[in-house]
Amino acid sequence: MPLHATRSLRSQTHAGDGEGHGLTARPAFLTIDGTAGALGALRWDGNGDATIIAVHGITANAWHFDPLAHHLDGAAQLLAVDLRGRGRSVDHGGPYGIAEHGADVAAIASSVDGPVIVVGHSMGAYVALDAAARTSDIVDVVLVDGGTPLAVPPGSDIDELLETTLGPAIRRLRTVWPDRVSYHSMWAAHPAFADGISIDLERNLLADLVEVEDGFRAAVDESAVRIDGRQLFADPDVRELLTRRTVPTPVIRAPNGLDGSPPPFIEDDVVARFPEHRWIDVADTNHYTVLLGPRGATVVADVIRSMLPG
């Protein structure tokens, strides 16, 4: 299958480093240029001229789009980026922030031949909106359980909000796991995965890990999470990204939140504030499984297919 990308993007493929032999096989590992240094990425080949650039959540990485790649089944090339401070970009060093990530994604979009659609999950949805505002090379955006202004009650302490929302995730980042089994056991006990973890999902979650002296830890820079998370709550430009988006945009929403139960990450009053956008609820999913689970990944893939040219 042809790779619709520029010569520079092709030349940065690491030959033999994970290259797959089918449209839904293991992806190729890439190193691509952002605006301030190299970033890791994964590429699943596909048909047609379009490229889907995928942007992960605040403590996630490019591997979290592996389920989507399988459900797309080669309908388009999928290029998932490790944002600064995550995955194979964990040692990037910053600076961090939604605008910095958005500039990286816009630069990558401009390096790819053909139309580009950006899909962003959770924090990645805000990055997708920022990137799309920067370049006409991005022809469309799909938001997955993110991109909307987060609730900030009057008089709130932002640090307390961060601790309430991201505290469990930050504690996970600080943990050194003695082995991969203990990390898997933590996720298996997470209420968001009460229906179980498939073999494929297990592989992708274990890809979060990097080896350290006493075991394994998540490949995420805590300072990046804190800086990005603070902006989601307190930066007026970030909070107005969806308001400034004049193109009707699909927003795929889970009915359950971070802990696998209501309320949803995007609450009903937010939906009512933005009737110009296309709201798609995926029953029986939560903030994680709306992308990582088969039901959610199927819907995301179907929405993307409906937006592909031709």
Side-chain angles (χ1 to χ4, degrees):
M1 296 296 173
L3 170 61
H4 298 279
T6 61
R7 181 183 303 274
S8 61
L9 185 58
R10 275 198 291 263
S11 68
Q12 294 176 64
T13 302
H14 293 177
D17 188 15
E19 187 77 53
H21 298 285
L23 292 179
T24 57
R26 300 277 286 188
F29 289 69
L30 307 180
T31 300
I32 54 179
D33 291 330
T35 58
L39 299 169
L42 300 174
R43 185 199 65 218
W44 291 263
D45 286 343
N47 297 309
D49 293 329
T51 294
I52 312 304
I53 296 179
V55 191
H56 60 72
I58 195 165
T59 63
N61 59 60
W63 273 110
H64 284 226
F65 288 96
D66 186 57
L68 176 60
H70 285 263
H71 286 276
L72 274 175
D73 195 27
Q77 174 179 247
L78 178 64
L79 182 66
V81 181
D82 281 324
L83 297 177
R84 303 180 188 192
R86 284 83 169 179
R88 291 174 56 241
S89 307
V90 66
D91 295 325
H92 183 282
Y96 305 113
I98 304 304
E100 284 73 19
H101 300 312
D104 285 338
V105 172
I108 293 166
S110 297
S111 75
V112 176
D113 291 338
V116 173
I117 298 171
V118 178
V119 54
H121 173 237
S122 192
M123 184 192 80
Y126 301 87
V127 175
L129 289 170
D130 182 275
R134 294 174 182 272
T135 176
S136 59
D137 291 312
I138 296 172
V139 300
D140 232 323
V141 171
V142 179
L143 308 179
V144 182
D145 224 34
T148 61
L150 298 181
V152 180
S156 295
D157 182 286
I158 298 301
D159 289 329
E160 290 182 2
L161 274 177
L162 278 174
E163 182 60 31
T164 299
T165 306
L166 296 176
I170 289 173
R171 287 189 287 275
R172 170 171 58 84
L173 303 183
R174 292 174 178 170
T175 301
V176 175
W177 308 91
D179 48 48
R180 290 182 173 88
V181 172
S182 56
Y183 188 71
H184 172 272
S185 297
M186 178 274 298
W187 279 117
H190 194 289
F193 295 100
D195 292 336
I197 296 178
S198 68
I199 293 175
D200 285 342
L201 181 54
E202 174 184 324
R203 179 192 66 196
N204 298 333
L205 291 174
L206 292 179
D208 290 350
L209 297 177
V210 292
E211 192 167 1
V212 295
E213 183 177 353
D214 296 323
F216 300 86
R217 66 172 178 82
V220 182
D221 187 317
E222 181 181 332
S223 64
V225 172
R226 288 190 174 277
I227 291 168
D228 295 342
R230 172 173 280 276
Q231 288 191 359
L232 295 180
F233 284 109
D235 188 309
D237 289 334
V238 174
R239 294 180 59 78
E240 293 173 5
L241 283 167
L242 189 62
T243 302
R244 295 197 299 266
R245 174 79 174 168
T246 58
V247 179
T249 299
V251 188
I252 298 168
R253 189 173 73 130
N256 299 303
L258 290 161
D259 64 354
S261 61
F265 185 79
I266 302 174
E267 298 197 32
D268 292 341
D269 64 325
V270 177
V271 178
R273 286 170 53 192
F274 296 96
E276 67 273 27
H277 296 299
R278 178 187 171 200
W279 295 93
I280 304 163
D281 287 355
V282 186
D284 300 321
T285 62
N286 58 59
H287 188 66
Y288 293 98
T289 60
V290 72
L291 176 68
L292 295 172
R295 184 189 300 269
T298 297
V299 172
V300 178
D302 287 346
V303 170
I304 291 172
R305 280 198 195 90
S306 73
M307 301 167 77
L308 291 174

